[in-house]
Every structure is written in structure tokens, then in C-alpha cells.
């Protein structure tokens, strides 16, 4: 049930929180967009369209143009759970984005964040 609340939440409500987390730690808002584009395949215009049309957070991931296959390299803990142990694919991808934004906020270089 908790997952469903998150999935139904508007992407427009979560997106500013992701940006704010990074900016508070001295990172640029554009870096958050770069991470989101890398992970999901959305363009900047695609992200803007999702913000405008009321896309849910779950829908944002479910309708992503091309989830990056390198996302499987994202490992570790987020919110007290190991990403690789999360059984539900949608929640696993959501937590992967959380992990990438955490890495950005902690000052990790962008090429390492993007598993390059």
C-alpha cells in the first residue's frame, strides 16, 4: 500500500525535491536533469512534458523512453534497503534514482554516478 501512494504521487511534486537535495549540497540543477535523462531516456523536453501533464511518479518510470541498461550496476543501500534486494522492478528503479541523487549530493563525480 505504501508503494502505491508513492507511485500515484505527481512527478511534479517529487522533481523539485530531487533538485533541492542536490542544490543544497552545492550541485547544479542541470546535473539532476542529466542523471534523470541518463537513467530513463527522457529528454529535457520529455521531463518538462511530464511535469506539465500531471504524470504520476510511477507513470514517469513506467513510460520512460529507454531505461538505461547500466542501471543494473547501481548497488547499495537506500532508505534502509539494498537496491538489489528490492523485488518490485518499479520500486527498484525509483530507489535507483534516489541513490544516484544521493551520490550527487555527496559530491561524487558525474562520470562515476553515471557508471561510466
Amino acid at each position: 500500500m505504501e508503494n502505491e501512494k508513492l507511485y500515484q504521487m505527481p512527478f511534479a511534486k517529487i522533481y523539485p525535491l530531487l533538485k533541492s537535495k542536490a542544490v543544497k549540497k552545492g550541485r547544479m540543477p542541470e546535473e539532476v536533469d542529466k542523471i534523470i535523462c541518463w537513467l530513463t531516456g527522457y529528454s529535457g523536453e520529455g521531463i518538462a512534458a511530464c511535469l506539465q501533464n500531471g504524470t504520476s511518479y510511477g507513470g514517469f518510470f513506467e513510460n520512460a523512453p529507454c531505461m538505461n541498461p547500466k542501471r543494473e550496476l547501481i548497488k547499495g543501500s537506500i532508505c534502509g534497503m539494498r537496491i538489489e534486494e528490492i523485488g518490485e522492478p518499479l520500486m527498484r528503479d525509483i530507489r535507483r534514482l534516489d541513490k544516484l541523487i544521493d551520490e550527487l549530493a555527496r559530491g561524487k563525480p558525474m562520470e562515476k554516478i553515471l557508471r561510466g
Side-chain angles (χ1 to χ4, degrees), residues 90-105:
L90 178 57
M91 182 55 73
R92 193 168 44 244
D93 284 335
I94 287 172
R95 294 301 178 209
R96 284 176 174 143
L97 178 57
D98 291 342
K99 179 75 173 170
L100 295 176
I101 299 301
D102 277 359
E103 290 176 356
L104 180 68

Side-chain angles (χ1 to χ4, degrees), residues 7-28:
Y7 299 159
Q8 296 306 314
M9 201 172 288
F11 175 63
K13 185 174 181 177
I14 295 183
Y15 180 71
L17 300 174
L18 297 172
K19 285 203 166 195
S20 175
K21 182 175 189 172
V23 170
K24 284 180 189 176
K25 297 291 186 166
R27 300 305 291 252
M28 302 299 295

Side-chain angles (χ1 to χ4, degrees), residues 45-104:
E45 295 81 20
I47 293 171
C50 289
L51 292 169
Q52 290 295 318
N53 68 20
T55 300
S56 69
Y57 200 37
F60 179 76
F61 284 92
E62 289 170 336
N63 299 314
C66 182
M67 293 298 290
N68 194 315
K70 287 189 176 182
R71 74 187 187 281
E72 301 298 330
L73 300 174
I74 303 167
K75 308 236 187 261
S77 294
I78 189 78
C79 301
M81 297 186 73
R82 296 218 38 94
I83 292 171
E84 52 275 22
E85 294 175 3
I86 298 172
E88 193 172 346
L90 178 57
M91 182 55 73
R92 193 168 44 244
D93 284 335
I94 287 172
R95 294 301 178 209
R96 284 176 174 143
L97 178 57
D98 291 342
K99 179 75 173 170
L100 295 176
I101 299 301
D102 277 359
E103 290 176 356
L104 180 68

Side-chain angles (χ1 to χ4, degrees), residues 21-40:
K21 182 175 189 172
V23 170
K24 284 180 189 176
K25 297 291 186 166
R27 300 305 291 252
M28 302 299 295
E30 297 82 19
E31 292 177 300
V32 173
D33 289 341
K34 185 173 183 176
I35 288 170
I36 292 172
C37 292
W38 177 87
L39 180 64
T40 63

